[in-house]
Amino acid sequence: NAGVMQNPRHLVRRRGQEARLRCSPMKGHSHVYWYRQLPEEGLKFMVYLQKENIIDESGMPKERFSAEFPKEGPSILRIQQVVRGDSAAYFCASSLTRLAGGYEQYFGPGTRLTVT
Amino acid sequence: GESVGLHLPTLSVQEGDNSIINCAYSNSASDYFIWYKQESGKGPQFIIDIRANMDKRQGERVTVLLNKTVKHLSLQIAATQPGDSAVYFCAEIYNFNKFYFGSGTKLNVKP
């Protein structure tokens, strides 16, 4: 039973380019969460999605960032016109239910984005 | 916004000793707390959780204590092993889907 998959593991982009980060949740999980982690800091919540729906995007910057979780395929975190401040590790997590009771999120290995 | 913080950024212990990692939280309405372990280059891994209506919960070699009076959470690791070396985060959860993580404590286990 594969865990949460993220790709690419490392991504280098020049300023102004677009970054696409992909997350495949654990089998059977329909809830996906994206977090950003700066060096030496904790994870910061960005967005929570269910299949085809954005449930909570309160942690996501209003501009340049978007996320989707289509009916088929992985969840995508998209960053347009990247700037150096976007350099960070981006983690995806998935859960079986809406985290009522178990509260267990399973995290992927992360994508480390470097903007040059 | 709400925040979760940690008292000690780094902790060094001798192999075999017990470790205690502390965490302060600010939202008295948080209904759930989780401790995560993050090894270098990997995503966080769930260790143990505790509901706000509990004071203590034990797992295998780990115990979480919750003091709601002072909004304090701790993780105790018994007989610390080299494999326990990692960064440990506490997270508070409220509204059932909002996670707030602390900045982490790095645990170094000396052989």
Side-chain angles (χ1 to χ4, degrees):
Chain A
N1 184 16
V4 178
M5 310 284 284
Q6 288 187 252
N7 68 82
R9 293 294 308 277
H10 299 275
L11 182 62
V12 180
R13 285 287 178 266
R14 292 198 180 111
R15 279 179 297 170
Q17 291 185 318
E18 178 180 286
R20 279 183 180 243
L21 288 63
R22 287 176 288 277
C23 169
S24 296
M26 285 185 70
K27 186 177 182 180
H29 286 193
S30 59
H31 301 254
V32 165
Y33 313 80
W34 284 95
Y35 295 86
R36 177 165 60 180
Q37 184 179 37
L38 296 173
E40 304 297 318
E41 292 190 11
L43 282 76
K44 297 291 193 291
F45 168 79
M46 298 182 73
V47 62
Y48 162 40
L49 311 103
Q50 289 183 27
K51 286 283 188 181
E52 301 183 275
N53 288 302
I54 296 175
I55 307 302
D56 183 348
E57 56 182 347
S58 59
M60 199 147 72
K62 300 288 185 230
E63 298 178 352
R64 301 188 299 108
F65 285 73
S66 62
E68 63 177 10
F69 189 17
K71 187 176 181 181
E72 300 291 338
S75 175
I76 306 288
L77 179 66
R78 183 183 177 202
I79 310 173
Q80 295 178 294
Q81 300 174 338
V82 295
V83 300
R84 287 208 172 123
D86 295 333
S87 296
Y90 292 83
F91 289 95
C92 164
S94 73
S95 66
L96 184 62
T97 65
R98 189 182 172 267
L99 296 182
Y103 287 100
E104 285 193 35
Q105 292 184 334
Y106 295 86
F107 282 85
T111 293
R112 276 145 188 87
L113 173 65
T114 302
V115 179
T116 61
Chain B
E2 303 297 341
S3 64
V4 175
L6 294 173
H7 296 163
L8 298 174
T10 59
L11 177 65
S12 293
V13 300
Q14 205 69 36
E15 181 179 356
D17 288 349
N18 297 333
S19 303
I20 300 176
I21 301 172
N22 298 301
C23 176
Y25 66 95
S26 58
N27 187 356
S28 57
S30 292
D31 50 17
Y32 212 82
F33 302 88
I34 301 179
W35 279 101
Y36 288 92
K37 173 185 180 182
Q38 186 176 25
E39 296 174 281
S40 181
K42 296 182 179 179
Q45 177 185 1
F46 173 94
I47 300 175
I48 191 168
D49 57 6
I50 187 168
R51 293 182 183 273
N53 62 356
M54 300 170 66
D55 297 323
K56 179 180 180 179
R57 190 164 188 218
Q58 286 186 295
E60 184 178 347
R61 284 203 305 120
V62 294
T63 302
V64 56
L65 299 177
L66 176 62
N67 185 332
K68 293 179 286 294
T69 302
V70 295
K71 297 180 189 172
H72 183 267
L73 193 69
S74 69
L75 176 70
Q76 300 179 4
I77 305 174
T80 313
Q81 302 169 0
D84 295 327
S85 293
V87 176
Y88 290 81
F89 296 94
C90 68
E92 62 177 313
I93 300 95
Y94 60 92
N95 290 344
F96 297 104
N97 68 328
K98 290 192 180 294
F99 279 62
Y100 291 89
F101 287 81
S103 57
T105 292
K106 186 175 183 180
L107 177 64
N108 292 319
V109 181
K110 296 177 285 186

